[in-house]
């Protein structure tokens, strides 16, 4: 009811504010006997961190994951697994000024309407810093899925007008890029030319004090056919919820959904190829406009989708707004702010994808979980 | 876990197959003392029915709602409310032929992968006929919301290339069309010229034996600021799940999300106007690109979003597929089939919208529910 | 939130009032492929029915189970399974008189406090007739468990002062009575002498216009060690909730709990016998005071517990009460009423036991469910 | 599914092992705006701690509550509230010896059956130390209820054969003892003579190396009539689950349930007194055998119930058992161990009671929560 938990079988509860002492997550449902790899969790946190660049080894000590329960000598016991990172000390004076200001397109006044009180220090729970909890839980989910041969990826598909070609994905039966290609630019766009164009979009916005939106592709392969619980807990419905729950996410599209909504079945149906039906997972289709889900259940072909993020709302352009008493003011953000969030959203999309897929997978071919354990 | 329930406070459980005896819904959480208006439920069922046209009064007796529990002398008792409609007798011979065929872009083989068995008669649970359960529950939710001054609408925004202008919605602070305008064409598009273009799109597809996709706008006004449970059960996240759970829905976009993902904050931030903050519901914004939700909570301005539907997968064009044993075949649908579903999706979108909003509203300014009752 | 569903993996939602048209249940989570035996469901309904006596074959047509969804040609499809029985026509005039009376120790005034309205016809949802929904769902659960070698039983342990010996159960490693022995008296007490004493207790109460309480033992054997989800969804905690949710149930005792609470560990600890620990299910204990659960998880030895039922509140002795406007009155029930409910509670206890055990079992050694299906 | 959360509207998730770094709880659903009193939380922790005695002020620094999220400057923000206490450093050598031993009547072998791995250090999650998480959450719940005029109490009713009179409670319409009387003996029994007899029971057991069971009464007054969600989430059913989920709890009895199960309605029905029915909360009954709940909903009279605890399983008497490989051994506990747990169970019973009542109350006369806040 209160909104800070996600999942049923692999259930994570997130806690902590942007400028409180910690951001943390309690995960209930980690398979007992699992050898937890905290380095993989740390690696995903590092990808999410502000100020990072790809493949750097000089890691400072920020956002270090700590484990508080659920794991003994590296083995998960089946008890709730609690992971946290420390927040840097809040410089509360920075927010004093904003504590009475309602920033446009932020959650300030809706928070007041919902709760009657707000933590003005860095946005409190509305801060994107909360996504660190998602990344920690998702990194645990992803390592379990990986051992089952299921892999979750994401990359930046577009920034502003600089965009890759979405239609191309429908023609593929495996992921088109390696993790190295994705990480080869700070944009997390695997195509160097387009990555360059994206950088230009961002720099242009930054110079103007503006910000720019973008889209991220999520991709999952290796998952068996049949995951999903129609008619309301469909795999794609759960993915849509997971993705739209991410800060600044404003649309979700499964497969060729956007194009198909203005097109014809003759172009967007996926013909079924001759197949071995002794196991239903072996059905293949000539194309994958469906995005790997039919009737709310996985097809066994790659799952792919796009998530759209609005431009970050904090800009250093003058904006009309009001204060807590309703008096008009002109707001102009000062100091550093991020003109584009999508590269840092990549590990968050991966995390939410892994959480949804594992939650369904744990309820499905359940025998397999035992084969994963020593 | 099993996927056939939706909502928490106002929780509906759907049952029945396309060619079983009934389609039904049990609703747990209807406020005790509520005067149920079954005519409003029937009116929404009529809008969903195949073969209907707008404002017709000659109603045949199909899809008549019946109440089995939870209501005594027209007053809801707080007990589970059960509503059903009868299915027409299945002509099972029609489906004999298809019972071993895997139809492209349908749920046939994913159903086999998930359940190992399928009801071939009209798609079983995967049939769009299940949406009648949603419409019944949604029509109960909508009448409760209406008494609280909250109104849910939907209309057809585009069919194929024929489209209204999405950006225009961001400039409005109330619904642009009356229910009469929406129902004035069988397309449920309130603009006559565009409705005509949509008809052309559909007829062109029909003649070719093809089908065409489209989009529906959902709109809710009157809801107070602050509905939604961050960080995972955000109002927009729950809407996304609700909409993507509808048959053939492939994308969800909140407000100007699609455009904003390739644009700038200077164009898509919504400036805040001078306002009476003694109640947070009175905050106004100059534009509504946000679609009525910030930080996962309603802003008090209209909620608006788009849902995209793929072209119906059943077409009378030859399609390559296989049978249950994996042998190739060429499938060609015969008889009547619907070349476009979006007009009939309108009441379904309205229903899911009402279910999500009421579920959040019942947990929010809870005092108000008591004011609604005699 | 609204209280009419039970279970998570095997989730049943009950609907219908005592004098509405039907009592029904929707079960979500029935394993697809399961061959449903409706005769077994009917047999349990027959045991629950008023007016029945043991082993009678002349069955009248009351309380006939009907299936509305989820089953095609006898095979469950994985869709929600809906079962109902018809209610006899309400003789509403019988309840007219009571509609303004608050009966002592009934739910009349708490229903008004909770809902502000009540269905006076036979108690509405508070009627024990609702337990027919539990029995239908439980009979489906029990047949699935039976195929896995898990069997649920119940019998009458005491009526008034006539009682069997609870301590004896702690010494047993399998059920002490056959189903035939249990059904050999209308009391459902397997010991003829004590059954006779129970009949005397009931007859004595009846003659006085009074009623008498009793206890039922629940017993489950064949379940593997390790079922239960500490620390809050323990197997015994879920059983306690299930049992206390039954009409008129007022206490729940696991194993020798009552006696142990005034005794010593030297008498109530269960020594562990030499055992094959290659599978943890093979651990044996010398006694079973624990009742088959340790730390909230099944031990693999029989599960046993007692449920206590208060005397039925409807009696034909004068009772002081008030009407809806608070005016004093003297209530004296007329006509037939049941001076003891425990024999009819036996199939209800079995049903709730089966629902709890199956719900846990479906999440546990999950591989096995697939071995049960063809 | 995974069992470490409790409640729906006021939902707590417990984490931490007996000898891990912390025991903690995340509470989702604390009303925003609430002024958190951590001293009251600490006071309840102090009552639960081992080695404490009543009304001592010389507090050592153990089990100090710390707040990690959800509270800013003493005001709850509506974000998840996280509270922890530190564990003392584990002396792991103490448990080395026991790590391969299956202790009788402990959760050792059921944990192996359920999880395949166990944390031998002090019982891990099965340790009663986990109840500190319950006490922290319960102490938050209790302070919210207190402001609404609802108060939760518990005391020791019996130890071994030394017992107070349960029937007396049915005659009372308010709590018979003050908190001071309850705390006046280390036994938490308010009657000095019986407290002395209880001490004798404990000392006798201790001298023999044995342990003794006991019962605790829970009492709640001030709650309005009508709390509870029939037919499965009845108030008493939820209480039963809450109580039986406590370590070593083996029976739950509502009101005069045990006695009523062998008695007659003429003795155990509660006559209704003339009353003001303009508000249903004002109904009074001559007696309260019901224990404050009818039909699963509160009556507005005091809620009272008993919970029975078995004797602690760790004793210094020789016990037959086996090790992990199934080899027989004789176990004899060494060092300090608690011959009776019921005095320390008192704050745990109060905590679980407060959690259940608040969870229902938050969904009920919802307006009131807003009146509690500034």
């Amino acid at each position: 009811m209160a909104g800070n938990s996600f999942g049923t079988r692999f259930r994570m509860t997130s806690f902590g504010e942007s400028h409180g002492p910690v951001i943390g997550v309690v995960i209930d449902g980690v398979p007992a006997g699992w050898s937890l790899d905290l380095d993989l969790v740390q690696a995903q946190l590092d990808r999410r961190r502000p100020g990072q660049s790809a493949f750097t080894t000089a890691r400072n000590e920020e956002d270090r994951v700590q484990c508080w329960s659920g794991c003994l000598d590296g083995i998960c016991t089946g008890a709730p697994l609690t992971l946290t990172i420390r927040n840097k000390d809040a410089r509360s004076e920075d927010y004093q000024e904003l504590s009475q200001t309602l920033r446009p397109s932020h959650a300030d006044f809706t928070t007041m309407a919902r709760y009657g009180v707000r933590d003005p220090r860095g946005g409190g729970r509305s801060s994107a810093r909360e996504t660190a909890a998602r990344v920690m839980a998702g990194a645990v989910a992803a390592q379990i899925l990986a051992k089952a041969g299921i892999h979750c990826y994401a990359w930046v598909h577009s920034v502003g007008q600089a965009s890759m070609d979405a239609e191309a994905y429908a023609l593929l039966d495996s992921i088109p890029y390696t993790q190295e290609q994705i990480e080869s630019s700070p944009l997390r766009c695997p195509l160097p030319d387009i990555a360059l164009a994206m950088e230009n979009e961002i720099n242009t916005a930054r110079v103007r004090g503006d910000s720019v939106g973008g889209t991220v592709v999520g991709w999952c392969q290796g998952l068996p056919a049949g995951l999903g619980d129609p008619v309301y807990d469909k795999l794609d419905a759960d993915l849509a919820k997971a993705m739209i729950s991410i800060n600044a996410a404003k649309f979700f599209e499964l497969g060729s959904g956007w194009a198909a909504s203005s097109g014809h079945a003759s172009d967007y149906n996926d013909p079924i190829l001759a197949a071995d039906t002794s196991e239903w997972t072996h059905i293949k289709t000539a194309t994958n406009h469906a995005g790997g889900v039919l009737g709310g259940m996985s097809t066994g072909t790659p799952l792919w989708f796009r998530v759209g993020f609005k431009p970050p709302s904090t800009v250093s352009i003058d904006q009309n707004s009001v204060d807590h008493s309703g008096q008009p003011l002109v707001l102009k953000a000062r100091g550093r702010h991020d003109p584009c969030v999508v590269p840092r959203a990549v590990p968050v999309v991966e995390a939410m994808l892994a959480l949804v897929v594992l939650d369904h997978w744990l309820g499905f071919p359940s025998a397999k979980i035992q084969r994963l354990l020593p």
Side-chain angles (χ1 to χ4, degrees), chain A:
Chain A
M1 304 301 296
N4 294 287
S5 295
F6 188 84
T8 52
R9 299 166 190 94
F10 188 88
R11 183 168 181 83
M12 63 92 104
T13 299
S14 156
F15 61 93
E17 296 83 34
S18 179
H19 286 72
V22 296
I23 295 288
V25 65
V26 182
I27 313 173
D28 205 4
V30 180
W34 182 259
S35 294
L36 181 67
D37 188 337
L38 274 181
D39 290 342
L40 289 177
V41 177
Q42 187 63 53
Q44 287 296 87
L45 281 171
D46 290 347
R47 293 177 77 206
R48 196 208 70 90
R49 266 201 307 135
Q52 27 85 13
S53 66
F55 300 118
T56 175
T57 54
R59 194 155 64 196
N60 63 28
E61 285 309 295
E62 286 169 349
D63 288 3
R64 296 297 299 169
V65 64
Q66 273 189 283
C67 178
W68 294 91
S69 72
C71 192
L72 179 66
D73 301 334
I75 304 297
C76 293
T77 61
L81 181 71
T82 305
L83 303 175
T84 62
I85 57 173
R86 282 254 161 204
N87 290 325
K88 289 190 298 189
D89 291 337
R91 292 178 300 169
S92 54
E93 62 275 20
D94 288 10
Y95 293 96
Q96 204 61 42
E97 182 186 4
L98 284 172
S99 71
Q100 297 299 312
T101 299
L102 304 176
R103 296 167 296 163
S105 298
H106 275 282
D108 296 343
F109 79 85
T110 53
T111 297
M112 287 305 295
R114 170 74 171 80
Y115 299 105
V117 60
R118 72 185 176 102
D119 181 343
R121 306 166 308 162
R125 280 295 280 172
S126 297
S127 167
R129 186 149 178 82
E130 185 278 332
T131 60
R134 304 170 186 240
V135 166
M136 288 187 278
V140 177
Q143 60 189 263
I144 296 171
L145 288 172
K147 193 144 179 193
I150 301 171
H151 299 277
C152 299
Y153 305 95
W155 57 87
V156 173
H157 178 81
S158 70
V159 169
Q161 302 295 325
S163 177
M164 297 170 68
D165 174 18
E167 291 300 286
Y169 304 132
L171 304 176
L172 301 171
D173 61 4
S174 73
I175 188 167
Y177 310 112
T178 64
Q179 194 69 13
E180 284 69 30
Q181 288 173 307
I182 293 167
E183 296 292 328
S184 66
S185 85
L187 268 295
R188 297 205 166 102
C189 171
L191 298 186
D193 287 359
I194 296 178
L196 200 62
M198 290 172 176
E199 285 191 46
N200 289 337
E201 289 273 346
I202 294 174
N203 286 331
T204 304
R206 186 198 322 257
V207 165
R208 294 207 316 257
D210 208 346
S211 68
V212 64
T215 64
V216 171
V217 164
W219 187 283
C220 178
Q221 65 188 47
L223 80 177
L227 291 192
D229 293 313
V231 295
Y232 300 113
D233 298 331
K234 290 175 170 174
L235 184 60
D236 43 355
D238 280 350
L239 278 172
K241 174 167 180 169
M243 296 303 152
I244 295 299
S245 81
I246 301 174
N247 309 45
K250 304 289 279 187
F251 80 81
F252 170 83
E253 176 199 21
L254 182 72
S256 305
W258 175 261
S261 75
S262 59
H264 297 93
S266 52
D267 290 322
Y268 290 100
N269 273 8
D270 298 311
I272 299 178
L273 302 180
D276 172 8
T277 56
S278 61
E279 285 194 33
W280 292 97
T281 284
H282 297 153
I283 303 283
K284 299 285 179 215
T285 53
T287 52
N288 186 9
H289 291 292
V293 180
L294 284 175
M297 296 164 283
S298 60
T299 60
T301 52
L303 184 71
W304 67 276
F305 59 87
R306 278 194 294 170
V307 190
F309 294 88
K310 69 174 184 178
S313 300
T314 301
V315 289
S316 47
I317 297 171
D318 286 357
Q319 295 189 89
N320 290 322
S321 191
V322 299
D323 64 17
H324 269 221
S325 61
Q327 292 307 305
L329 55 82
V330 174
L331 179 72
K332 182 175 188 149
R334 290 181 296 192
R336 267 176 38 91
H337 46 81
D338 206 338
C340 186
V341 293
V342 286
R344 291 179 58 206
V346 163
V348 183
V349 168
E350 287 177 12
M352 296 310 292
L353 170 56
L355 289 170
V356 170
V357 171
L358 180 61
D359 205 47
H360 279 275
W361 187 80
L362 283 174
F364 180 58
S366 314
K368 288 187 186 166
I369 189 63
Q370 284 159 354
R371 282 184 237 147
L372 299 184
L373 301 173

